[in-house]
Amino acid sequence: MDEVLLRSLTPHVLAILVRRGADFAAAEDAVQDALVEAIRVWPDDPPRDPKGWLITVAWRKFLDATKAETARRRREDAVEEEPPPGPASGVDDTLQLYFLCAHPSLTPSSAVALTLRAVGGLTTRQIAQAYLVPEATMAQRISRAKRTVSGVRFDRPADVGTVLRVLYLVFNEGYSGDVDLAAEAIRLTRQLAAVIDHPEVAGLLALMLIHHARRAARTAPDGGLVPLADQDRSRWDTGLIAEGIEILQAALARDRLGEFQAQAAIAALHADALAAEETDWVQIVEWYDELVRLTGSPVVRLNRAVAVGEADGPRAGLKALAELDDSLPRYTAVAAYLHERDGDPVTAARLYAEAARKAPTLAERGHLTRQAARLNASLRP
């Protein structure tokens, strides 16, 4: 039994059922029943057209599950549209499913979970393990999301930006348990890039690939964070970097700049430097200026302050930082770094300790605590 093939066909079949009028939750139940049937039948009698077989069986399973009297007329109309035998249509069903899962009425966490379930083909247990929550909790979250999108038609305006933000959220979750969400996000984004020609889809894929290329060097053997400047660049995956840069260059050549392309350009400049001191910070600041223009994001402005500190000196970075709200996440950590670069270890140590108390993750808290301890040790007589 080819489980990879089944997994790849699942979103296509689900999308077709929903487009033909099936309620999302009922359609998914029907697809799961069809998959069970495929696992039972295919080893002894493999179909010539696996996708067409799944569509036919799933549609019949859906009809069998809607035998209530009030649904009779709808079922009779649907029977007339049952797909004929033979090769299935090559419609971009997966693309439509992406837009359904990124419905604006869903919370970001629900949209991510539904995308992983419906498009990614992950089980509820796998998604729960990846998010470190009980399976029952994740099941409720996915069920609520299904109810929300039930009845939504595919003819609503497509919002590529929403889909990309959902995929970016999946990527930023990283990895844990037996599901690597970063790798899964890359797989899903590759899938999306194959069915839609959009420079921002390419920009997001390039960004993911370049960031993912540094994964092996990001953590120390004890699990501690390794800052970009201190990473062993020989451990970076040059193949992923080259692929990401090639995809980015093709997207930029279309002259339709978006935020993911700008972020990928910044990541590419970091990846292009053979050593931290060779980083082209002047060009990175220019790209951050573009990113600020595109998004106006305070977080982007915070990252720009770091780049200004590297390009024009820590005093310039602190000046740029002073223009921002000090309640921003990681503001204090950036201030600590710039004060250390400016030769003020006393202030930097205090700010590192303060930033550690505000850190959103244990790994980040540990890193900042070690920075504070290092500076305090250097101040002792």
Side-chain angles (χ1 to χ4, degrees):
M1 172 56 58
D2 191 339
E3 294 184 6
V4 174
L5 175 62
L6 283 176
R7 183 177 177 182
S8 68
L9 290 176
T10 297
H12 296 279
V13 178
L14 178 57
I16 288 173
L17 263 64
V18 173
R19 193 174 68 245
R20 289 179 177 274
D23 172 272
F24 187 93
E28 192 189 32
D29 288 341
V31 171
Q32 294 303 313
D33 288 342
L35 293 176
V36 171
E37 188 73 5
I39 292 172
R40 185 181 68 83
V41 172
W42 286 12
D44 298 323
D45 186 19
R48 285 179 296 178
D49 176 20
K51 181 178 177 181
W53 188 97
L54 280 174
I55 292 171
T56 300
V57 173
W59 187 247
R60 288 172 179 165
K61 295 288 185 182
F62 164 70
L63 295 178
D64 289 343
T66 55
K67 291 181 178 178
E69 185 64 30
T70 56
R72 182 179 299 277
R73 185 63 183 173
R74 176 182 173 189
R75 182 174 70 255
E76 291 173 352
D77 292 339
V79 168
E80 297 175 2
E81 297 179 7
E82 181 174 337
S89 169
V91 177
D92 290 340
D93 305 304
T94 304
L95 176 60
Q96 295 174 323
L97 200 57
Y98 274 108
F99 291 126
L100 182 65
C101 293
H103 192 271
S105 62
L106 293 176
T107 64
S109 61
S110 294
V112 167
L114 191 59
T115 300
L116 290 171
R117 183 72 180 88
V119 187
L122 302 186
T123 66
T124 302
R125 180 186 296 275
Q126 288 175 316
I127 300 170
Q129 288 176 341
Y131 278 89
L132 303 178
V133 300
E135 184 177 354
T137 300
M138 184 56 67
Q140 290 176 354
R141 182 181 301 174
I142 294 174
S143 294
R144 285 196 298 269
K146 289 179 187 177
R147 288 196 297 271
T148 298
V149 300
S150 290
V152 172
R153 304 300 299 176
F154 276 138
D155 55 3
R156 69 184 178 88
D159 182 4
V160 177
T162 300
V163 175
L164 296 183
R165 282 190 289 275
V166 168
L167 290 172
Y168 194 40
L169 283 172
V170 175
F171 181 78
N172 284 336
E173 288 295 332
Y175 56 96
S176 58
D178 65 352
V179 178
D180 183 338
L181 288 183
E184 184 66 15
I186 291 173
R187 187 185 74 84
L188 293 173
T189 307
R190 284 190 190 279
Q191 191 177 15
L192 183 62
V195 294
I196 181 171
D197 182 22
H198 193 291
E200 272 294 81
V201 177
L204 178 59
L205 179 57
L207 176 64
M208 289 178 174
L209 292 173
I210 296 170
H211 277 320
H212 204 56
R214 303 200 300 261
R215 171 172 169 173
R218 280 187 180 142
T219 54
D222 63 359
L225 291 180
V226 179
L228 177 60
D230 299 332
Q231 289 177 13
D232 178 357
R233 299 184 180 219
S234 68
R235 301 183 66 195
W236 290 1
D237 187 328
T238 54
L240 283 183
I241 291 172
E243 182 186 2
I245 290 176
E246 182 180 356
I247 291 171
L248 172 64
Q249 288 174 338
L252 291 175
R254 301 176 64 175
D255 198 25
R256 290 170 56 194
L257 184 63
E259 61 178 291
F260 289 116
Q261 293 170 74
Q263 288 188 57
I266 292 168
L269 286 167
H270 282 297
D272 195 47
L274 296 178
E277 55 271 17
E278 297 179 21
T279 305
D280 189 344
W281 287 105
V282 172
Q283 212 179 146
I284 288 176
V285 171
E286 291 174 354
W287 275 111
Y288 269 121
D289 288 339
E290 289 287 349
L291 199 50
V292 168
R293 181 182 62 79
L294 288 167
T295 68
S297 166
V299 174
V300 171
R301 293 179 184 275
L302 182 67
N303 292 331
R304 179 184 177 278
V306 177
V308 169
E310 298 290 353
D312 301 327
R315 294 285 175 90
L318 287 167
K319 182 178 178 181
L321 186 66
E323 299 173 0
L324 305 177
D325 186 343
D326 62 8
S327 66
L328 279 172
R330 297 185 174 87
Y331 178 101
T332 308
V334 170
Y337 174 75
L338 291 173
H339 276 289
E340 181 182 359
R341 287 281 318 282
D342 195 38
D344 185 356
V346 175
T347 301
R350 174 178 58 79
L351 290 173
Y352 274 130
E354 182 182 339
R357 292 191 291 272
K358 301 176 181 178
T361 67
L362 288 175
E364 191 170 338
R365 184 181 307 166
H367 169 71
L368 294 168
T369 299
R370 286 191 293 274
Q371 295 294 85
R374 173 180 57 81
L375 288 180
N376 283 325
S378 70
L379 293 171
R380 296 192 189 103

